[in-house]
Amino acid sequence: MATTDASITAAKPARRTDWLGRAATFCYLTIAAGQLLFVAFILLYYYARTLTGNFAGWNDKPIITGYVAGDTAGNSFFAVHVLMAAVITFGGLVQLVPAIRSRWPALHRWNGRLYLLSALTLALGGLWMTWGRGSWLALAGAFGITLDALLIVGFAALAWQAARHRQFVDHRRWAIRLFAVASAVWFMRVGYMAWGMATGGAGIGKALDGPFDIFLAFANSLIPLAIAELYLRASAHGTPAARKGVAALLVVCGLIILAGSGGAWMMMWGPYI
Ligand code: HEM
């Protein structure tokens, strides 16, 4: 996966000075703000308990299957999962910054390897926790997260392969798609909060089995993926109208993300740290 500064820079996106570029930067900054809150929660809640051996403390907040006395395999998978969750969430944000890619290509390469490793660990370990350990509430949720895991593994392989073959334009496209689906569990939390604040929780079932739960189980990966695809196409060869349309969509998404992330901090994460 050896590269040069010039080859990585060649994969940089279209101009950042037009509306589409500015909207993409705005949307990225809102995602970064929301994901940094998620990282802060993971560090202050899960790292604090896991690294001090207080595994039973995972259950201080409502989760499906956290610490179970005597279940060494399940508890170990859970520990690795929450430790890697902060690595992938922070690492993904770093990978997408163009200035880091062009100024510190070695950092981009090493962080990229760590990102791929954490993506595989979370996806494969998550699949085992879902189907092996039985950590699921509603079947739609279990199938939705399974689809997400398969997309993560597939896109990680394609991003890695394109980088190995020095196809940096393709590598950037697969990496952006990977970021979209690897952020699905975070989008799900933000989506629940934004929807809850807007509708008072319409369609959310007690066992997360209502119409909105079923929708979000798949939408949490497929909608970010579709929006990433629209952005990639508009920035590569979109008409001026298409570029403006996608720019407007990214601004709306950014505003929803800001609201949902604020809500997630106040309701889901902040109260437990
Ligand atoms: C790739 C990014 C991922 C991140 C950042 C992530 C993060 C997390 C976090 C923070 C938790 C702790 C639960 C909480 O406090 O809400 C968790 C639990 C869990 N995750 Fe993931 N996860 C990811 C991917 C996956 C995937 C792909 C799967 C399944 C295929 C999965 C399955 C699970 C399961 C089953 C639990 C236990 C849920 C519970 O007992 O409530 N995760 N994950």
Side-chain angles (χ1 to χ4, degrees), residues 112-128:
R113 289 176 181 127
L114 188 59
Y115 186 78
L116 291 179
L117 177 73
S118 54
L120 292 181
T121 309
L122 282 156
L124 299 178
L127 278 178
W128 183 82

Side-chain angles (χ1 to χ4, degrees), residues 10 32 102 106 134 233 262 264:
S102 54
R233 278 162 199 246

Side-chain angles (χ1 to χ4, degrees), residues 38 41-42 45-46 61-66 78 81-82 84-86 88-89 118-119 122-130 133 135-136 145-146 148-149 152 181-183 185-186 189 269:
F38 191 37
F41 158 71
I42 295 168
Y45 186 84
Y46 283 115
K61 78 185 253 310
I63 43 176
I64 307 168
T65 325
F78 190 94
H81 196 85
V82 288
M84 281 302 211
I88 197 172
T89 310
S118 54
L122 282 156
L124 299 178
L127 278 178
W128 183 82
M129 292 202 300
T130 307
R133 202 184 196 202
S135 289
W136 56 273
I145 195 76
T146 299
D148 183 45
I152 290 173
V181 296
S183 301
V185 301
W186 170 80
R189 288 158 172 81
W269 305 325

Side-chain angles (χ1 to χ4, degrees), residues 23-222:
T25 304
F26 170 72
C27 190
Y28 168 81
L29 290 174
T30 63
I31 292 172
Q35 293 201 346
L36 286 175
L37 290 179
F38 191 37
V39 171
F41 158 71
I42 295 168
L43 294 180
L44 294 170
Y45 186 84
Y46 283 115
Y47 273 60
R49 286 164 173 76
T50 309
L51 299 181
T52 55
N54 175 18
F55 305 139
W58 296 333
N59 301 349
D60 291 346
K61 78 185 253 310
I63 43 176
I64 307 168
T65 325
Y67 175 76
V68 176
D71 180 11
T72 310
N75 294 334
S76 307
F77 268 87
F78 190 94
V80 171
H81 196 85
V82 288
L83 294 178
M84 281 302 211
V87 174
I88 197 172
T89 310
F90 186 72
L93 293 174
V94 171
Q95 277 313 81
L96 289 190
V97 177
I100 294 181
R101 287 205 299 272
S102 54
R103 275 186 218 157
W104 297 291
L107 173 65
H108 180 76
R109 283 197 298 276
W110 280 105
N111 190 46
R113 289 176 181 127
L114 188 59
Y115 186 78
L116 291 179
L117 177 73
S118 54
L120 292 181
T121 309
L122 282 156
L124 299 178
L127 278 178
W128 183 82
M129 292 202 300
T130 307
W131 298 111
R133 202 184 196 202
S135 289
W136 56 273
L137 280 179
L139 211 47
F143 280 125
I145 195 76
T146 299
L147 170 69
D148 183 45
L150 297 177
L151 291 173
I152 290 173
V153 173
F155 292 166
L158 290 163
W160 180 69
Q161 196 182 38
R164 279 197 69 206
H165 292 127
R166 308 170 71 82
Q167 295 160 341
F168 293 109
V169 175
D170 280 348
H171 170 65
R172 176 175 164 269
R173 286 199 193 110
W174 288 117
I176 287 178
R177 290 173 187 136
L178 173 60
F179 178 80
V181 296
S183 301
V185 301
W186 170 80
F187 280 122
M188 184 177 67
R189 288 158 172 81
V190 169
Y192 266 120
M193 292 314 307
W195 179 256
M197 289 189 291
T199 68
I204 298 179
K206 280 207 169 67
L208 298 186
D209 54 357
F212 181 75
D213 303 301
I214 296 170
F215 165 77
L216 193 60
F218 296 92
N220 64 20
S221 57
L222 296 180

Side-chain angles (χ1 to χ4, degrees), residues 215-262:
F215 165 77
L216 193 60
F218 296 92
N220 64 20
S221 57
L222 296 180
I223 288 186
L225 186 57
I227 292 170
E229 207 58 49
L230 286 175
Y231 166 70
L232 287 172
R233 278 162 199 246
S235 57
H237 43 71
T239 62
R243 294 172 72 89
K244 277 191 189 135
V246 175
L249 177 68
L250 291 179
V251 171
V252 171
C253 291
L255 294 174
I256 295 172
I257 286 169
L258 277 183
S261 301

